[in-house]
Amino acid sequence: MSRKLFTAGCVVLILLGLVHLLGHYMLVTSQGQSDAERQLLAMMRANPQDMGLGFVRSMFDIVSGFSLYFSLSSFALGLLGFVIRRHAVASPGLLRQAAIVYAGSYGVMTGMALRYWFPAPLFFLALAFLCFTAAVATAPRA
């Protein structure tokens, strides 16, 4: 059961990355739906600051970069989980240890989502957390 739950958590992470990538695309192509939103986006895109070492970025560049990173890191960690799962047969205890790391990380991220974000990422993060926590609970101790 642990292996299936771990796999389910990895699938959730890949789906999170893909769904968030759609949200990222909506962010970078958005022109705003109201005057206030258009003004906010214009201000975020304007006034680039020198960040040192020749890097000049606007607030929109920074937000877009973090958004893209979140999408790609979720996707990558889901794929990494599949690699770990594949090698767990040869290394007893590996799947449980990885599930502990994933459960801890996504537990913290679920808490962050409760405080700072909106329902879509909260749902995916909580689901991943539950899958990995259940994988830990059902995994044999090595």
Side-chain angles (χ1 to χ4, degrees):
M1 181 58 97
S2 171
R3 190 173 174 86
K4 289 181 181 180
L5 290 166
F6 188 87
T7 301
C10 293
V11 168
V12 169
L13 292 181
I14 290 169
L15 291 174
L16 170 59
L18 293 174
V19 169
H20 198 277
L21 196 57
L22 289 173
H24 173 77
Y25 175 77
M26 290 171 49
L27 168 71
V28 298
T29 60
S30 177
Q31 298 302 315
Q33 295 178 352
S34 67
D35 287 338
E37 191 177 350
R38 282 188 285 277
Q39 183 180 9
L40 176 63
L41 288 169
M43 288 190 302
M44 287 178 65
R45 288 180 172 120
N47 195 26
Q49 301 290 313
D50 185 352
M51 303 290 166
L53 300 175
F55 290 92
V56 178
R57 303 286 187 263
S58 68
M59 183 57 70
F60 191 82
D61 294 331
I62 294 168
V63 169
S64 297
F66 278 118
S67 174
L68 187 58
Y69 173 80
F70 184 81
S71 300
L72 296 178
S73 67
S74 298
F75 189 78
L77 287 171
L79 291 177
L80 178 62
F82 283 120
V83 172
I84 291 169
R85 187 194 66 165
R86 180 174 179 222
H87 293 285
V89 174
S91 179
L94 176 62
L95 196 66
R96 185 173 194 280
Q97 291 172 347
I100 289 170
V101 171
Y102 275 87
S105 300
Y106 285 95
V108 170
M109 290 175 78
T110 299
M112 289 171 48
L114 278 168
R115 170 65 175 92
Y116 295 106
W117 296 336
F118 47 96
L122 171 61
F123 170 77
F124 280 101
L125 292 169
L127 186 58
F129 169 67
L130 291 173
C131 288
F132 290 121
T133 300
V136 171
T138 59
R141 295 186 185 267

